[in-house]
Amino acid sequence: MSFAAAMLSLPRPLLATCVYLLLLPGCQGRIFGYTNGFHYQDISNGNGHGEIYFNGIRLHVESPQSSVSATRGSTVTLPCHYHYEPELTIPRKTRVKWSWLPANTMTPQVSADAFFKETEVMVAMGSRHRSYGSFRGRVRLRRSAPGDMSLVINELQVNDTGRYRCEVIDGLEDDSVTVDLELRGVVFPYYSQKGRYHYNFFRAQKECQDQDATLATFEQLFTAWEEGLDWCNAGWLADGTVQYPITIPRDGCGGKNLAPGLRSYGQRDRVLHRYDAFCFAASVKGTVYFLENTTKLNFTEAIQACSSDGSQIAKVGQLYAAWKLMGLDHCDAGWLADGSVRYPITKARANCGPSQPGVRSFGFPPQYLKFGVYCYRSMLCFNAGQIKPY
């Protein structure tokens, strides 16, 4: 059917409207009275395959970094900048939205509907802005230069990790970029005093929290595996999956014929199934130290000794963070708050365990046995002037 025939077949009211619009000067193919500054050639001027050529101003949103890492409690900036091509002579009003996909909902292959699971962090237009949820009062836009919409997060929390999206909206046009936020820290396996595989998902969460840590994410465990973590007992992760890292394939750990990597049991029942846990410890706001100039102590005496020194007995996550992030190295075994006995080695040497750096463990010995003790002194005590730094 020809264009003229198609027009004549329309009902008269609709036909009259179409003719009116077509006869208006400069309005062919446009919505009357609307322009957003973006100009497109009519499809009849394309290449014959239904493509439309773009020949106007274009909005670009970019970030020089695809991922950023920081320590807990610090201030971190997620970079985001926008500009126009060609450059504008008159600034336009833009709306900026930062949203967030938490790390414990992220998987190696993010599904197509992941965008719809993002939660708002901040929305800003001009000098007006609003922050949401746990980010309220902790976030702002940097605005160090025209087009700078970088997000500044204060007092970084363990649960702030994930994928952040910076979206700039101009009229009907928008563009966005994502930046992953990771915490610098250390992953460590954790199991019950009764032996392996005693935690359901919720108990594993609590056990990690009790040791000043959180359940590790897949990304954190994968990074730990890349750095050499090898552990043949399966543990819960933050997304509800159960996995374990193997760098040296062997029987009993997936078999010799499997390549190194993360072995996965997939999603398990969070109430019924029992495994160990992989915990993640970020930096600590204080100091972990071995209490010198004391005789060997049983567990009760160790708790009291740290208290008498103006501190408290250290937790497992605090010892791991001090070893990994602060270089704590001491070849004496000491009690920790959970009743385990461990010691940190950054420079492997004779009579200090295996040839690789790590936190050595004696497990959970009877509490009447005598060892040294590792204490933790909070930075709050330093700042208050109540206790001098050790």
Side-chain angles (χ1 to χ4, degrees):
M1 181 183 296
S2 67
F3 176 76
M7 291 289 290
L8 291 174
S9 66
L10 294 173
R12 288 194 177 187
L14 183 57
L15 175 61
T17 302
C18 292
V19 171
Y20 173 74
L21 289 174
L22 289 172
L23 290 176
L24 285 173
C27 289
Q28 289 82 356
R30 299 186 187 179
I31 300 175
F32 178 67
Y34 173 79
T35 177
N36 65 356
F38 291 78
H39 308 289
Y40 301 86
Q41 292 181 352
D42 187 86
I43 193 168
S44 61
N45 296 325
N47 62 3
H49 298 291
E51 297 180 359
I52 302 175
Y53 294 145
F54 173 85
N55 65 353
I57 298 170
R58 186 171 183 182
L59 172 67
H60 294 272
V61 178
E62 300 167 340
S63 176
Q65 296 172 259
S66 60
S67 65
V68 173
S69 61
T71 56
R72 185 178 63 177
S74 65
T75 296
V76 63
T77 300
L78 306 183
C80 174
H81 303 82
Y82 78 90
H83 67 277
Y84 291 96
E85 290 184 358
E87 292 186 7
L88 296 177
T89 56
I90 301 177
R92 292 182 176 177
K93 289 185 178 180
T94 55
R95 178 174 178 265
V96 180
K97 182 175 78 171
W98 276 94
S99 54
W100 169 58
L101 183 66
N104 60 9
T105 65
M106 294 169 59
T107 59
Q109 294 181 343
V110 179
S111 62
D113 64 345
F115 176 81
F116 300 103
K117 298 178 182 177
E118 294 178 349
T119 58
E120 289 186 340
V121 174
M122 164 177 272
V123 175
M125 180 180 292
S127 61
R128 299 165 58 191
H129 65 273
R130 176 177 293 180
S131 53
Y132 300 91
S134 63
F135 295 97
R136 190 184 301 273
R138 292 196 299 124
V139 294
R140 61 180 175 85
L141 295 181
R142 184 170 61 181
R143 298 186 187 273
S144 62
D148 181 10
M149 294 298 164
S150 302
L151 184 71
V152 180
I153 307 176
N154 296 317
E155 287 296 320
L156 189 64
Q157 301 174 4
V158 171
N159 293 329
D160 289 344
T161 56
R163 178 164 299 149
Y164 289 75
R165 181 183 300 276
C166 173
E167 183 178 14
V168 179
I169 305 164
D170 174 5
L172 294 180
E173 301 300 325
D174 69 272
D175 194 15
S176 67
V177 67
T178 60
V179 182
D180 289 346
L181 175 60
E182 303 170 350
L183 275 182
R184 288 196 292 269
V186 57
V187 173
F188 60 94
Y190 194 77
Y191 56 91
S192 168
Q193 295 186 25
K194 300 177 182 179
R196 74 173 194 165
Y197 297 174
H198 279 78
Y199 302 146
N200 66 17
F201 175 79
F202 303 103
R203 180 63 183 272
Q205 276 187 321
K206 184 178 185 304
E207 291 294 331
C208 289
Q209 291 170 359
D210 288 347
Q211 299 310 315
D212 201 22
T214 60
L215 274 179
T217 65
F218 172 87
E219 289 77 12
Q220 290 163 350
L221 183 63
F222 186 83
T223 298
W225 169 75
E226 289 182 314
E227 294 174 351
L229 180 62
D230 183 286
W231 193 257
C232 197
N233 290 343
W236 291 102
L237 296 182
D239 61 359
T241 62
V242 174
Q243 311 196 34
Y244 62 100
I246 295 297
T247 59
I248 303 174
R250 54 197 182 274
D251 290 335
C253 300
K256 294 181 179 180
N257 296 326
L258 282 180
L262 297 188
R263 314 287 194 242
S264 177
Y265 292 176
Q267 292 281 341
R268 311 300 287 174
D269 190 290
R270 298 189 180 197
V271 175
L272 299 179
H273 289 142
R274 300 287 192 274
Y275 296 96
D276 293 339
F278 284 104
C279 304
F280 176 81
S283 61
V284 292
K285 290 186 174 181
T287 299
V288 176
Y289 61 96
F290 184 81
L291 187 61
E292 302 280 6
N293 303 321
T294 64
T295 58
K296 300 296 184 182
L297 309 165
N298 63 33
F299 181 63
T300 302
E301 293 168 340
I303 294 174
Q304 182 58 47
C306 287
S307 178
S308 298
D309 198 50
S311 303
Q312 59 189 28
I313 189 169
K315 298 179 179 181
V316 177
Q318 294 166 346
L319 183 69
Y320 267 94
W323 163 73
K324 180 72 173 181
L325 301 174
M326 303 176 187
L328 182 62
D329 182 287
H330 203 89
C331 197
D332 289 306
W335 288 105
L336 295 177
D338 66 339
S340 65
V341 174
R342 308 173 194 246
Y343 64 99
I345 296 296
T346 57
K347 297 179 181 179
R349 51 198 182 275
N351 302 318
C352 293
S355 59
Q356 299 296 324
V359 175
R360 321 299 194 208
S361 176
F362 282 52
F364 298 89
Q367 295 187 355
Y368 62 80
L369 294 182
K370 297 197 173 186
F371 299 92
V373 61
Y374 286 92
C375 303
Y376 170 72
R377 185 170 295 165
S378 170
M379 189 64 69
L380 295 176
C381 295
F382 297 163
N383 295 338
Q386 299 171 352
I387 302 171
K388 295 180 180 179
Y390 186 80

